[in-house]
Amino acid sequence: MRIEKRLPVPSETKSAMAWYAKPTEALAGELQTDLNVGLHVDETARRQAQEGPNELPDAPPPSLLKLFLAQFSSLIVWVLIGAAIVSGLLEDWIDAAAILAIVFLNGVLGFVQEFRAERSLAALRKMSVATARVIRGGALQSIPARELVTGDVIALEAGDRIPADSRLFYTTNFQAQEASLTGESTPVQKQAERLETTEVPLADQHNMVFMGTVAVSGKARGLVVATGLKTELGRIASMIQKAAEAERDETPLQRRLEQFGYTLLWLALGVVTVVFALGYFRGEPLVEMFLTSVSLAVAAVPEGLPAVVTITLAMGVTRMAKRHALIRKLPAVETLGSATVICTDKTGTLTKNEMTVTRVMMDNSHFEVIGEGYEPVGEIREVLGVKRAAHLDLSPLTPGLRQLLTAAVLCNGATLQQENGTWQIIGDPTEGALLVAAAKAGLTKAELERWAPLDREVPFDAERKMMTIVRRTEQGRMAYCKGAPDVLLKRCAARLTLDGRTEALDEAHRQLISEANASLAQQALRVLGVAYRPLDQPASSDEEVERELIFLGLIAMKDPLRAEAAEAVRLCRDAGIRISMITGDHKETAIAIARELGLHRADGEALSGSELDRLTDEQLTQRVERVSVYARVSAEHKLRIVQAWKRNGAIVAMTGDGVNDAPAIKAADIGVAMGMAGTDVTKEASDMVVTDDNFASIAAAVEEGRGIFDNIRKTIHFLLSCNVSEVLVMLFATLFGLPLPLLPIHILWMNLVTDGFPALALAVDPKAPDLMQQPPRQTQARLLDGERLWIITSEGLMLAVIALSTFSYSLFVWHQPIEQARTVTFTVMVVAQLVHAFNCRSDRWSLFHVGVTTNHALIWAVAASLALQVGILTIPLLGPIFKVAPLPIEDWELMVAMVLLPLVVVEAVKWLQRR
């Protein structure tokens, strides 16, 4: 019968979270389908027309022209283009061409780096499956996944990628890996008829599966309740699209360069006006004063700055790549150095993402398992006391410990194997950790399974909280069990001792085991109990198999912290950077790990996803600075956390690897994706990819970012102090009625020489040793604050006084011709500026403390510039072009004395400041 009634669309009627709270029969009735037969063909066609395809739309490709033109939107770029036009009018074609080439190169580099910035939705679409197995008209068939509709009945098994959000109504030992969506690192056990009466996060919806996640074991059937953009994955895609459509905030460097551009613009206009007016009132030739004024305006603009910034950032990209940080967008290099907050994932970033057994308890004896990761190399040591441990004789193992490890291996569905020299776990990481621990004692699954082949399995389910595998052995059929210690203990009647004897499990030993379990759990360890029983006769039910068990012991494991994580956290804390840990783990586990890292202190707060839901955005904004740990969070929660920090004026770096991290990564000032575990979605949404998934690499990238900004500021300091000196020389000469000490060609040549190689060499200066002991820069702080502008002006004045003193001495004391005096002044200014480049390497430390020869690039740059200056003075053909005169030996002696003065004066000032 054809159904004309319009079906309810999930997003219009209820959140996806409502589906898990209803019995499947009620849902089937609501969606007008049959769980056994499925939908009929004509009905599926009608629903496809109504709902659209089950796929995520492609992101519209960015306009290449628009992306390229956007690189030229900065005010400082337009100031430089104006300077190039003026240089052309002055017929200084070399300077004009150099400026335009710099602007164009800067645009091309920025365009190439940002070309792939807006492809998040395309990567999301790749996660959508190509086909799905569906029951329609009572027949199982394979169809393109895009043709699924709500009400379809799908069949799932291990290895399948889930094609749509579905409510399960049949499961057999079915597990799904949902880490990319929820952040939960371990596979989730699914149960068809487990209903929740209250709203729970995605990670706890045990009767639901979600589009884009993966089935890792068992079989299941589900009822499709949401497709396409109405799925959880689709909601995240919509969030990313909104974030992309919203205008992204400028980076700190872009804001500072924009402010700097306005300053330069007004400075250039002021120079033109003042110098021209003074010269005009003094009766100087109108054309000469115009050319001089405009030359000074061009000199006031450091045309090398965009090239310096771009090349500095690009070289920073290369250095960061060597430290496992791959930069996708150039401004992200400096932005990371400005970060005041890092919101980081736990699993795989702060930890190794390799579940490892660390402790074993048996017969009231405690053992420490040495060795981390999946490589079966290590040892087991008996802990005799709090302060000392002794090696346990492992050859041979004690009978009891051998039986415990054997049971852990034989009640196990995972596989440990070596591929290309790397040990890997196939299956559940928790079960894999048990295999590794046993292998360290010489017990392998392959050998034990030959001795004890599989007979039957009672799979794990969340109600029983345990699993059992029955195996055939030479001693008869054996049931091996593992599960939650408190549950397992209730089913045990006896216990095995270390020497292999079976004893009654009395109340005193039960209490000891319970206390050991609680103690291990408080250390953020995941604890499993292990037991077994001989089956003398075939059991009539699963319940009978799992009773009268013999308790073997407790096995505790954890995802170990990366060795360098705690040091990286301390480094960031010393640098004034706040760190918030965001994880899908339970709150208690997250707090324990944060304390171990030094992230969570006594005055810190921790919030779970459900607690976040009860906070308004305003309340979260008020509390966010006190919260160091977030647990059991969703994609929306992560986005809210980032937005709360940004409302407080923070520069936020957000790290992540799953699809659920992508919206927050997109919204953060700098998004950091994990290169190994990260999804394509996250990488495409990010500004930076950490290739080794290590938090220490993020800390290293912060250090590099700070170093880059420091070097950019050094370069601007050098350029401006030199340009200010040129302006002041001309301004004071005009004010005091002196002849013009420099001609337009001299000014333009100085600008070309000092704005070139020396400035680029300062951009690669080695990092200051105390860089990570400095607090983060203020969000709204200018590129050059008042104190630094005062220093720049003072140093410019110093250089100007040295140049004017040289000019006056040559002209009025030695009575040299004006051409000769200008040549001496011109050369002194060029060389003094080159010497001043060494002063700019540090505003705190002496050059001799920093090291005169530690910046080889600067030495070569200064040598090359000196060679060019000597060349125009000594090559006869260049004299008329640059309007320079031959100089006698006494002028050379004067110039050598004067050019060393900047180094002496600045070193003296630094010495006084340090005292």
Side-chain angles (χ1 to χ4, degrees):
M1 181 178 70
R2 186 176 181 82
I3 303 172
E4 297 296 339
K5 179 183 176 183
R6 184 177 181 271
L7 288 171
V9 177
S11 63
E12 294 176 350
T13 59
K14 56 181 78 65
S15 72
M17 289 184 178
W19 299 116
Y20 60 76
K22 289 188 176 184
T24 47
E25 292 79 6
L27 279 180
E30 186 175 331
L31 295 175
Q32 300 165 6
T33 189
D34 188 300
L35 297 179
N36 297 314
V37 179
L39 295 173
H40 292 285
V41 176
D42 57 345
E43 175 61 14
T44 58
R46 192 189 70 79
R47 296 192 187 194
Q48 284 170 2
Q50 177 182 308
E51 300 173 7
N54 174 40
E55 60 185 4
L56 303 178
D58 272 327
S63 165
L64 300 184
L65 179 61
K66 183 178 180 181
L67 192 61
F68 181 69
L69 293 178
Q71 310 301 318
F72 303 96
S73 59
S74 170
L75 176 66
I76 196 168
V77 170
W78 284 104
V79 170
L80 289 175
I81 292 174
I85 293 172
V86 171
S87 296
L89 294 175
L90 295 174
E91 296 186 354
D92 183 11
W93 304 113
I94 294 177
D95 210 30
I99 295 172
L100 290 177
I102 287 168
V103 170
F104 181 75
L105 177 63
N106 183 64
V108 170
L109 287 175
F111 169 78
V112 171
Q113 284 290 331
E114 296 182 12
F115 176 65
R116 296 176 65 241
E118 304 300 331
R119 295 211 235 159
S120 295
L121 291 178
L124 269 169
R125 192 180 183 193
K126 292 177 185 177
M127 292 192 66
S128 300
V129 295
T131 61
R133 289 179 299 121
V134 61
I135 298 173
R136 286 182 176 173
L140 181 65
Q141 52 188 287
S142 181
I143 65 169
R146 69 188 306 273
E147 296 179 6
L148 282 176
V149 296
T150 54
D152 262 328
V153 176
I154 59 172
L156 302 169
E157 61 183 31
D160 287 347
R161 193 177 287 274
I162 311 301
D165 287 5
S166 305
R167 168 71 158 81
L168 299 176
F169 62 88
Y170 165 80
T171 57
T172 300
N173 195 29
F174 187 73
Q175 289 185 314
Q177 176 58 267
E178 298 178 346
S180 64
L181 193 62
T182 66
E184 180 68 54
S185 57
T186 57
V188 180
Q189 186 75 28
K190 298 294 183 179
Q191 290 179 283
E193 292 306 325
R194 178 173 174 179
L195 300 182
E196 304 289 348
T197 56
T198 58
E199 187 170 294
V200 295
L202 294 182
D204 293 331
Q205 295 179 25
H206 297 285
N207 58 14
M208 293 286 297
V209 287
F210 303 100
M211 182 181 189
T213 60
V214 180
V216 295
S217 67
K219 295 183 178 182
R221 287 194 178 183
L223 179 62
V224 175
V225 295
T227 60
L229 284 173
K230 300 179 185 70
T231 63
E232 289 297 315
L233 193 64
R235 283 193 319 105
I236 293 174
S238 299
M239 291 166 64
I240 296 174
Q241 191 171 33
K242 289 177 183 177
E245 290 171 355
E247 184 177 353
R248 188 163 185 172
D249 294 339
E250 289 182 318
T251 68
L253 181 61
Q254 289 170 330
R255 284 197 295 269
R256 292 176 178 118
L257 286 177
E258 198 73 10
Q259 294 168 347
F260 186 55
Y262 280 107
T263 303
L264 285 179
L265 179 61
W266 289 112
L267 177 64
L269 292 174
V271 167
V272 170
T273 304
V274 172
V275 174
F276 181 80
L278 289 173
Y280 176 76
F281 288 125
R282 281 183 52 206
E284 297 284 350
L286 199 62
V287 175
E288 183 177 344
M289 285 311 304
F290 174 76
L291 292 176
T292 301
S293 301
V294 173
S295 298
L296 278 177
V298 173
V301 179
E303 57 259 32
L305 180 58
V308 166
V309 171
T310 302
I311 292 172
T312 304
L313 294 176
M315 295 182 72
V317 167
T318 303
R319 288 198 303 273
M320 285 182 173
K322 294 177 180 177
R323 301 182 75 173
H324 309 290
L326 181 64
I327 300 297
R328 298 184 61 247
K329 301 175 186 177
L330 275 182
V333 179
E334 186 275 335
T335 309
L336 193 60
S338 306
T340 57
V341 176
I342 299 176
C343 297
T344 179
D345 190 22
K346 174 189 72 71
T347 305
T349 307
L350 296 169
T351 65
K352 292 186 174 182
N353 197 21
E354 293 180 344
M355 195 64 78
T356 304
V357 172
T358 59
R359 300 295 289 269
V360 175
M361 194 284 287
M362 183 182 189
D363 192 17
N364 202 28
S365 296
H366 292 259
F367 303 90
E368 182 181 10
V369 182
I370 307 300
E372 293 181 349
Y374 293 151
E375 186 175 4
V377 175
E379 58 183 353
I380 300 176
R381 300 191 298 187
E382 183 178 7
V383 180
L384 298 178
V386 177
K387 295 185 178 180
R388 72 186 189 93
H391 289 282
L392 176 70
D393 183 10
L394 296 180
S395 185
L397 286 172
T398 62
L401 194 57
R402 172 180 286 275
Q403 183 73 335
L404 170 60
L405 295 174
T406 297
V409 172
L410 293 178
C411 185
N412 201 306
T415 303
L416 174 65
Q417 63 185 34
Q418 190 175 25
E419 290 184 7
N420 300 322
T422 303
W423 289 91
Q424 297 179 338
I425 294 296
I426 308 300
D428 190 306
T430 300
E431 293 190 318
L434 299 176
L435 297 182
V436 175
K440 290 175 181 178
L443 300 175
T444 65
K445 188 176 184 181
E447 292 181 2
L448 291 175
E449 283 189 329
R450 283 196 293 270
W451 168 76
L454 177 68
D455 182 78
R456 59 177 292 209
E457 177 178 348
V458 184
F460 175 90
D461 69 56
E463 295 295 330
R464 289 170 35 255
K465 294 185 179 180
M466 61 181 294
M467 70 171 288
T468 300
I469 292 181
V470 179
R471 294 187 177 271
R472 300 187 301 274
T473 71
E474 294 177 356
Q475 290 78 32
R477 294 165 67 249
M478 292 281 185
Y480 296 101
C481 313
K482 72 174 188 292
D486 54 337
V487 173
L488 197 69
L489 201 56
K490 294 176 182 177
R491 297 173 180 261
C492 293
R495 68 183 184 92
L496 195 71
T497 64
L498 274 176
D499 58 9
R501 292 179 293 106
T502 302
E503 295 181 353
L505 184 57
D506 55 29
E507 195 58 38
H509 280 97
R510 289 182 187 274
Q511 184 66 27
L512 287 172
I513 294 169
S514 297
E515 290 174 357
N517 176 41
S519 174
L520 293 170
Q522 287 173 359
Q523 300 171 46
L525 297 175
R526 184 173 187 179
V527 187
L528 289 177
V530 183
Y532 83 109
R533 68 167 288 195
L535 295 176
D536 300 326
Q537 295 179 355
S540 59
S541 66
D542 292 346
E543 180 66 26
E544 187 178 345
V545 172
E546 296 176 339
R547 55 187 294 187
E548 301 297 321
L549 300 175
I550 301 171
F551 186 79
L552 291 171
L554 300 175
I555 299 180
M557 63 194 74
K558 68 175 181 178
D559 183 6
L561 295 177
R562 289 182 178 270
E564 59 275 21
E567 175 61 21
V569 168
R570 185 199 61 77
L571 188 67
C572 289
R573 193 167 57 242
D574 290 348
I577 300 171
R578 302 284 298 276
I579 299 175
S580 293
M581 189 178 81
I582 303 176
T583 178
D585 283 340
H586 291 282
K587 186 175 177 180
E588 293 74 16
T589 303
I591 290 173
I593 292 171
R595 282 177 178 157
E596 190 176 353
L597 280 166
L599 281 177
H600 190 68
R601 298 185 174 181
D603 58 345
E605 295 183 19
L607 290 177
S608 66
S610 58
E611 291 170 329
L612 269 173
D613 287 330
R614 293 194 289 270
L615 297 178
T616 64
D617 287 343
E618 292 73 20
Q619 290 172 328
L620 179 58
T621 302
Q622 293 172 0
R623 292 184 62 179
V624 70
E625 294 187 3
R626 302 194 300 272
V627 181
S628 55
V629 176
Y630 298 90
R632 308 295 280 177
V633 292
S634 66
E636 291 92 338
H637 295 144
K638 295 183 179 186
L639 184 58
R640 287 185 65 200
I641 293 166
V642 168
Q643 291 170 339
W645 273 113
K646 292 182 74 173
R647 282 193 294 271
N648 282 340
I651 300 296
V652 185
M654 172 72 195
T655 77
D657 54 9
V659 177
N660 61 331
D661 298 320
I665 281 177
K666 194 76 174 176
D669 294 288
I670 175 164
V672 182
M674 301 297 108
M676 297 170 67
T679 60
D680 287 344
V681 183
T682 315
K683 293 174 187 175
E684 289 295 334
S686 69
D687 304 289
M688 184 181 96
V689 177
V690 179
T691 57
D692 63 349
D693 292 11
N694 195 336
F695 184 81
S697 298
I698 301 172
V702 170
E703 184 180 14
E704 288 291 345
R706 287 190 172 192
I708 285 165
F709 181 85
D710 204 31
N711 285 349
I712 289 174
R713 194 162 59 179
K714 288 178 192 176
T715 304
I716 294 175
H717 184 136
F718 168 66
L719 291 174
L720 279 191
S721 56
C722 293
N723 291 359
V724 164
S725 70
E726 296 162 19
V727 172
L728 291 179
V729 163
M730 301 302 292
L731 184 61
F732 290 154
T734 307
L735 281 173
F736 297 147
L738 297 174
L740 292 178
L742 298 171
L743 298 176
I745 186 65
H746 298 154
I747 296 171
L748 293 174
W749 171 257
M750 267 190 293
N751 212 34
L752 193 62
V753 170
T754 58
D755 281 14
F757 296 126
L760 288 174
L762 274 178
V764 296
D765 205 40
K767 294 186 292 292
D770 60 345
L771 196 61
M772 290 298 280
Q773 276 75 54
Q774 304 298 318
R777 298 183 297 278
Q778 293 292 326
T779 309
Q780 300 301 327
R782 290 181 171 272
L783 192 63
L784 302 173
D785 56 22
E787 181 182 357
R788 188 169 290 272
L789 282 173
W790 169 250
I791 294 172
I792 288 172
T793 304
S794 300
E795 291 174 354
L797 178 62
M798 172 194 67
L799 293 172
V801 168
I802 291 172
L804 283 175
S805 299
T806 304
F807 180 68
S808 300
Y809 193 85
S810 177
L811 192 64
F812 300 120
V813 177
W814 285 354
H815 303 290
Q816 292 180 334
I818 184 67
E819 294 82 5
Q820 193 171 329
R822 280 174 177 160
T823 302
V824 172
T825 305
F826 168 44
T827 303
V828 165
M829 281 213 73
V830 170
V831 181
Q833 288 179 4
L834 294 177
V835 170
H836 184 54
F838 290 94
N839 289 330
C840 296
R841 291 188 59 194
S842 175
D843 54 2
R844 301 187 301 276
W845 301 105
S846 164
L847 172 64
F848 304 101
H849 176 80
V850 173
V852 178
T853 61
T854 51
N855 188 338
H856 300 291
L858 182 59
I859 293 174
W860 284 108
V862 168
S865 298
L866 281 174
L868 290 173
Q869 183 66 20
V870 171
I872 66 172
L873 293 176
T874 56
I875 299 175
L877 289 176
L878 298 179
I881 298 175
F882 289 95
K883 296 181 174 58
V884 292
L887 298 177
I889 188 65
E890 59 267 21
D891 282 340
W892 287 91
E893 293 172 348
L894 175 64
M895 289 188 296
V896 170
M898 298 302 285
V899 297
L900 292 176
L901 280 177
L903 182 61
V904 174
V905 171
V906 173
E907 282 294 316
V909 170
K910 289 180 182 178
W911 180 78
L912 290 173
Q913 287 176 337
R914 288 195 302 274
R915 287 182 63 84

